[in-house]
């Protein structure tokens, strides 16, 4: 069945192209009434309709399992609201802030930690709120880096992005502008030369962090979109979420990390999936995540190693939770495990 060249936003759209079975529609209507749905043509064409467990479809197609909300889950699982001094700003760490420019995304991930706050019906920042957010940044000289997030900031036009980057560039103590986005994989056509130029500001460092969870997302078109950014002098990093049934085995996760490095994108974070409502079916255990990181360490180049992190519920920030290879006796003597599992003394015995 052919996919219409439009973003799929309604259950009828998903059904028309064979992504949702009719017997699930009653449950899916309840989900779609609460959480936004959107699948771009670029993503829809990657979904194997003959595989109900397809890893691309699992990320974007609503699932009746989303109706199962666990007691430990939270509408604000990483505590953004506790660190929001003004609307649109999250100031959790001393030297950087998040600036949430929009609540809209090109695609809506079923595991999103902000799923209660984003979607086409969410209200964007008003001009007055945006001014207040920028005034806050300007009034705090410790803010060295501003992370543009949302939603997805690259849903905005090149003109609006240029205005925003220019306003941030006018704040002397802001030295780094970081953009978190799915757009190069979700809709590669939007990464135009005009948009790339809009992200750059003289005297400031711009970084783009790509959210990708499976190697198949890095299509030829996506790779070309990333190359336009990188060739223009914008370094790219990646962040991925460890997801059950998507990338939770060594071969699949390793293929993703290698594909990113081949695109000149440095793997940055592998997030343990957050406690967002209705997402337990997509979370793995931390122990399993640590085992996967051990498998990567033994098999893949150091360029392919992300930092496995947990965003501590309640707003306490990210902590690395990867496996440890070092144990000590408290007297300066250690045992170090190599990638094959062998143990070695440090300092070596005389």
């Amino acid at each position: 069945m052919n996919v219409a060249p439009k973003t799929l936003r309604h259950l009828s759209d998903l059904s028309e192209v064979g992504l949702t079975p009719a017997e699930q529609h009653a449950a899916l209507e309840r989900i779609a009434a609460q959480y936004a749905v959107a699948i771009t043509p670029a993503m829809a064409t990657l979904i194997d309709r003959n595989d109900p467990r397809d890893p691309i479809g699992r990320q974007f197609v609503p699932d009746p399992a989303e109706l199962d909300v666990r007691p430990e889950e939270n509408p604000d699982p990483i505590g953004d609201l506790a660190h929001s001094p003004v609307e649109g700003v999250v100031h959790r760490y001393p030297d950087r802030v998040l600036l949430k420019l929009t609540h809209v995304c090109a695609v809506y991930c079923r595991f999103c930690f902000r799923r209660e706050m984003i979607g086409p019906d969410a209200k964007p920042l008003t001009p007055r709120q945006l001014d207040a957010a920028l005034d806050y940044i300007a009034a705090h000289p410790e803010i060295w880096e501003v992370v543009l997030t949302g939603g997805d900031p690259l849903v905005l036009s090149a003109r609006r992005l240029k205005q925003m980057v220019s306003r941030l560039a006018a704040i002397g103590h802001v030295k780094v502008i970081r953009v978190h986005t799915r757009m190069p994989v979700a809709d590669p056509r939007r990464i135009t030369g005009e948009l790339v130029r809009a992200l750059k500001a003289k005297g400031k460092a711009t970084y783009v962090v790509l959210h990708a969870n499976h190697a198949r997302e890095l299509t030829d078109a996506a790779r070309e979109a990333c190359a336009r950014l990188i060739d223009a002098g914008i370094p790219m990093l990646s962040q991925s979420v460890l997801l059950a049934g998507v990338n939770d085995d060594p071969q699949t996760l390793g293929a993703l990390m290698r594909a990113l490095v081949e695109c000149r994108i440095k793997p940055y974070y592998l997030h343990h999936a957050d406690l967002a409502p209705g997402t337990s079916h997509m979370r793995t255990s931390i122990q399993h995540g640590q085992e996967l990181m051990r498998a990567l360490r033994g098999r893949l180049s150091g360029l392919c190693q992300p930092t496995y992190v947990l965003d501590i519920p309640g707003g306490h920030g990210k902590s690395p939770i990867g496996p440890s290879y070092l144990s000590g006796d408290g007297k300066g003597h250690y045992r170090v495990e190599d990638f094959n599992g062998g143990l070695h003394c440090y300092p070596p015995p005389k």
Side-chain angles (χ1 to χ4, degrees), residues 5-336:
K6 66 175 183 179
T7 294
L8 309 174
R9 300 186 184 278
H10 306 284
L11 290 183
S12 58
D13 296 332
L14 302 183
S15 178
E16 184 180 337
V17 298
L19 289 177
T20 54
E23 62 270 18
Q24 292 185 354
H25 275 205
L28 297 182
E29 288 285 0
R30 293 170 59 192
I31 296 166
Q34 185 169 2
Y35 302 121
V37 175
I39 307 176
T40 58
M43 289 291 97
T45 56
L46 293 179
I47 299 172
D48 182 355
R49 284 142 184 77
N50 296 316
D51 181 2
R53 296 187 292 182
D54 177 76
I56 308 300
R58 187 166 170 79
Q59 294 182 65
F60 303 114
V61 178
D63 188 318
E66 294 175 52
L67 295 173
D68 178 18
V69 178
R70 302 295 176 88
E72 67 272 16
E73 295 175 339
N74 190 312
D76 183 21
I78 67 169
D80 277 355
L81 296 178
H83 297 279
S84 185
V86 297
E87 192 69 30
V89 171
V90 178
H91 195 175
R92 181 178 286 110
Y93 303 101
D95 72 338
R96 57 203 180 276
V97 296
L98 304 181
L99 179 55
K100 296 190 280 188
L101 293 179
T102 178
H103 296 292
V104 176
C105 294
V107 291
Y108 293 105
C109 304
R110 309 321 304 168
F111 52 88
C112 178
F113 68 98
R114 291 196 181 115
R115 64 194 324 226
E116 300 274 353
M117 309 167 194
I118 63 169
D121 297 327
K123 294 180 180 179
L125 290 180
T126 66
R128 180 173 294 183
Q129 288 171 332
L130 181 56
D131 289 344
L134 291 169
D135 288 344
Y136 177 88
I137 295 169
H140 288 76
E142 71 273 20
I143 297 174
W144 173 79
E145 178 183 26
V146 175
V147 181
L148 301 183
T149 182
D152 193 320
L154 296 194
V155 301
L156 301 176
S157 68
R159 177 184 62 82
R160 290 186 63 191
L161 286 167
K162 183 177 178 64
Q163 290 173 346
M164 178 52 51
V165 169
S166 296
R167 293 181 72 177
L168 288 171
I171 302 173
H173 55 263
V174 173
K175 302 299 184 183
V176 178
I177 299 170
R178 193 198 322 171
V179 180
H180 283 192
T181 183
R182 243 196 188 291
M183 196 63 74
V185 296
D187 191 357
R189 299 169 302 174
R190 287 190 63 86
I191 312 302
T192 63
E194 182 184 13
L195 184 142
V196 172
R197 290 189 294 273
L199 297 178
K200 300 183 69 175
K202 186 176 181 180
K204 308 293 180 178
T206 298
Y207 287 77
V208 169
V209 180
L210 175 71
H211 177 181
N213 298 317
H214 195 279
R216 275 169 46 203
E217 296 175 47
L218 293 163
T219 62
D220 289 345
R223 291 171 184 243
E224 290 169 6
C226 294
R228 283 193 285 276
L229 290 158
I230 296 165
D231 289 344
I234 298 177
M236 287 191 69
L237 308 171
S238 75
Q239 56 179 350
S240 304
V241 183
L242 179 59
L243 298 168
V246 174
N247 55 19
D248 61 335
D249 65 85
Q251 293 73 29
T252 303
L253 190 60
L256 169 62
M257 298 306 156
R258 279 181 166 167
L260 289 163
V261 171
E262 290 165 9
C263 293
R264 295 176 287 169
I265 300 170
K266 175 67 182 82
Y268 179 34
Y269 280 147
L270 175 66
H271 293 268
H272 190 76
D274 295 306
L275 297 174
T279 62
S280 62
H281 61 294
M282 301 201 76
R283 287 195 297 274
T284 69
S285 68
I286 289 177
Q287 179 182 353
H288 184 56
Q290 292 174 328
E291 291 168 355
L292 287 171
M293 291 304 298
R294 281 181 173 273
L296 292 192
R297 178 63 61 184
R299 293 175 57 246
L300 302 184
S301 161
L303 292 173
C304 300
Q305 308 293 328
T307 300
Y308 181 37
V309 294
L310 172 69
D311 231 317
I312 303 170
H316 303 288
K318 296 181 185 68
S319 285
I321 57 170
S324 176
Y325 299 86
L326 185 70
S327 60
D329 61 4
K331 299 178 181 179
H333 297 93
Y334 298 92
R335 289 203 309 171
V336 187

